[in-house]
Amino acid sequence: MKELSVGKETSISRFTDLFPSFAGGVEGKYSVTLHLAHILNRRWEYLSGRMPGPESDYGSHRIPLTNELGVIVYGWHRLAADLQVEVAEACRQWLDGSKAMSKEEVVAHLKSDDPRALLQEADRVRQAFCGNAVHLRGLIEFSNHCQRDCLYCGLRRSNQKLPRYRMSADEIFESAKQAGALGYKTIVMQSGVDGFYRIEVLCDLLKKIKNEVDCAVTLCIGERSYEDYRKLREAGADRYLLRFETSDKELFEKLKPDSSYEQRRLCLDWLKELGYQVGSGNMIGLPGQTLEILAEDILLLRDLNLDMIGIGPFIAHPETPLAGEPNGAMALTLKAVALIRILTQNALIPATTAMGSIDPEGRQKALRAGANVIMPNVTPTKYRCYYEIYPHKICINERPGDCASCVQVLAGSVGRTIAKDYGHGFKKIRA
Ligand code: 5AD
Ligand code: FES
C-alpha cells in the first residue's frame, strides 16, 4: 500500500476537494456512485462524494488506495468483471495523478528537452479519464468590435487598419442552425468586448437558438456585470469561456491596460456561482512571461477546478505594440497542454486554432498530448479574415462545411472518433 507523499492535513483536504469532479466522470460513465473514505483504525469514514440514492442498493465494494484513503463503490456488483477492473484502475490513477506537483517540478518539465514521457503520460491520462472521442464546438465569431486595447490582440480598439463587422441576430441564428446541421452539439458565440448587443437582444437570441437547435451554447464575450451573466445563464447559456491570459497581476495589467486582474478573477467566480460550466486559460510565450509565471498559470488552472481549459501560443500581430516580438513556441505549448491534462485529468482541452496557425500539425500534436476538443469555425467566410486576433490564422478562406470535413479527417488521422453527445464538462455531472 502506498504512503501519502505529502503533508497529511493538506493532502487529505486536497484529495477531498478534488474527488467530486473525478467521481462525477466515473459515475457518468459506469452508473455507479463513489465515495472517498478516510480509513481510521480499519473504519472507513465518509470524506467526500455523493450520497448513494435508493437506486444504489446494489452492494458496495471497498478499494483501498493508501493506508488512510479508500474509495467505496456503490453499484459495484452490477458491473461486469472487466469494468470493475477499469473502475478500480481509474481510482488508483486518480490518486497517483492528484499528488501535488510543486511549482519547481512544473518548471523542470517546461524546461525539459525531451518531453516524450510527459506527452505520453498526458495521452494516457486523457484516454483513461476522457476516452477516445474528440468533442467538436462550432465557433461563431460574431463581432470583431472591441472596446478594449489589449497589447497582444489584433482586435484592440486602437487597430484602425482592421475593417470591423457585426453579424445581425438573424445572421448569428443562421450560423447556429448551420452548426446544428453539421452535427455540432455545441456552438461557441465569440466576440470582442462589444456593448453594441444589448443584453435583451443576446438573451432573445439565446432562447431562440436553444429552442430551435439541439445544442449546448458557450459564450465567449468577455467581462460583463453579474446581472448580465445571470440573465444570459437564465436565457439558456450553458458555458462561458474567459481566459485569465496570465496569472501574473503585473504582466496582466501591462498587457491589458484597461482591465484589472482582480475583476477578471471575480468574473470567473461569478460564472461558477451562476452554474455555468466555466473555461479559462492563458497564452504561452507572452512577452515578459517567464517559465515561473507559466508554471503559476498552470497550477492556477489546476486549482480553479475548471470544466474547460483553452490555451495557445502568443502570435505577434503587426498592428499591435507587440509587433516583432517572438511568437510562443509549439514545443512549450505542448508541454503546457500535457501538464494541464495530467494535473486536471478530466478537463475539456481544445487543440486550438492558434496551435494550428503556428504549426501545420499543431492541432494533431495537441490531440496526442492531452487535448480532446476541436473548435471548427462556422463563421460565414466573408467575415473570417476580419476576426484577425493574430496574423496567419487558419481557415479564413474555408466555408463551414470545409472545416467540418477537415476536422473529421484531423481527428481520424490521430486515431480518434468524434463524440456525438453535448460534451458537457465532467464537473457538471456531480451536481
Ligand atoms: N496570439 C495568440 N492568441 C491571442 N489571443 C488574443 N490575442 C492573441 C495573439 N496575439 C487569445 C486570447 C483570447 C483569445 C480569444 O485569443 O487568449 O482570450
Ligand atoms: Fe479586445 Fe483583446 S483587444 S480582448
Side-chain angles (χ1 to χ4, degrees), residues 110 284 294 298 311 331-341:
L110 292 172
I284 310 296
L294 180 52
I298 291 171
I311 70 167
L332 186 59
T333 306
L334 283 177
K335 287 186 265 188
V337 168
L339 283 161
I340 292 166
R341 167 57 66 211

Side-chain angles (χ1 to χ4, degrees), residues 136-142 165 167 175-176 179 182 184 186-191 218-220 241 352-353 374-380 384 387 389-390 393-395 400 403:
L136 302 182
R137 317 311 200 183
L139 176 64
I140 307 173
E141 300 158 327
F142 66 92
Y165 72 90
M167 287 168 64
S175 285
L182 289 168
Y184 304 147
T186 295
I187 61 156
V188 180
M189 289 170 54
Q190 186 178 100
S191 70
T218 306
L219 295 176
C220 180
L241 303 175
T352 53
T353 308
I374 310 179
M375 300 171 69
N377 204 324
V378 285
T379 311
R384 289 190 183 194
Y387 205 83
I389 298 179
Y390 48 80
K393 205 172 147 215
I394 49 171
C395 314
C403 292

Side-chain angles (χ1 to χ4, degrees), residues 146-285:
C146 193
Q147 292 158 7
R148 297 206 172 166
D149 219 20
C150 308
L151 268 58
Y152 46 80
C153 184
L155 306 191
R156 67 198 305 267
R157 64 165 188 267
S158 301
N159 180 9
Q160 284 165 7
K161 293 225 174 118
L162 181 70
R164 305 284 171 162
Y165 72 90
R166 287 187 177 109
M167 287 168 64
S168 68
D170 285 346
E171 282 180 301
I172 301 171
F173 178 67
E174 284 308 312
S175 285
K177 273 210 312 215
Q178 201 175 3
L182 289 168
Y184 304 147
K185 290 286 182 199
T186 295
I187 61 156
V188 180
M189 289 170 54
Q190 186 178 100
S191 70
V193 176
D194 185 4
F196 172 84
Y197 298 88
R198 283 184 304 113
I199 197 71
E200 294 74 24
V201 173
L202 289 176
C203 287
D204 286 349
L205 176 60
L206 274 170
K207 285 181 199 150
K208 191 162 165 207
I209 292 174
K210 293 287 293 194
N211 268 334
E212 296 183 38
V213 186
D214 178 24
C215 66
V217 177
T218 306
L219 295 176
C220 180
I221 56 176
E223 291 172 33
R224 295 252 173 175
S225 67
Y226 184 89
E227 259 320 280
D228 280 4
Y229 285 153
R230 194 186 60 72
K231 287 179 183 158
L232 293 164
R233 173 89 183 102
E234 215 172 83
D238 302 277
R239 311 186 189 132
Y240 207 103
L241 303 175
L242 187 72
R243 294 186 181 180
F244 57 72
E245 316 294 1
T246 172
S247 62
D248 186 273
K249 178 174 157 60
E250 204 177 315
L251 183 60
F252 180 98
E253 285 169 9
K254 199 152 95 189
L255 295 173
K256 294 174 74 73
D258 34 22
S259 309
S260 105
Y261 180 71
E262 283 78 20
Q263 184 63 29
R264 194 98 176 159
R265 292 288 305 274
L266 185 61
C267 285
L268 287 170
D269 291 344
W270 286 344
L271 292 164
K272 266 196 191 168
E273 189 186 316
L274 287 164
Y276 284 94
Q277 296 166 46
V278 179
S280 194
N282 67 342
M283 276 176 280
I284 310 296

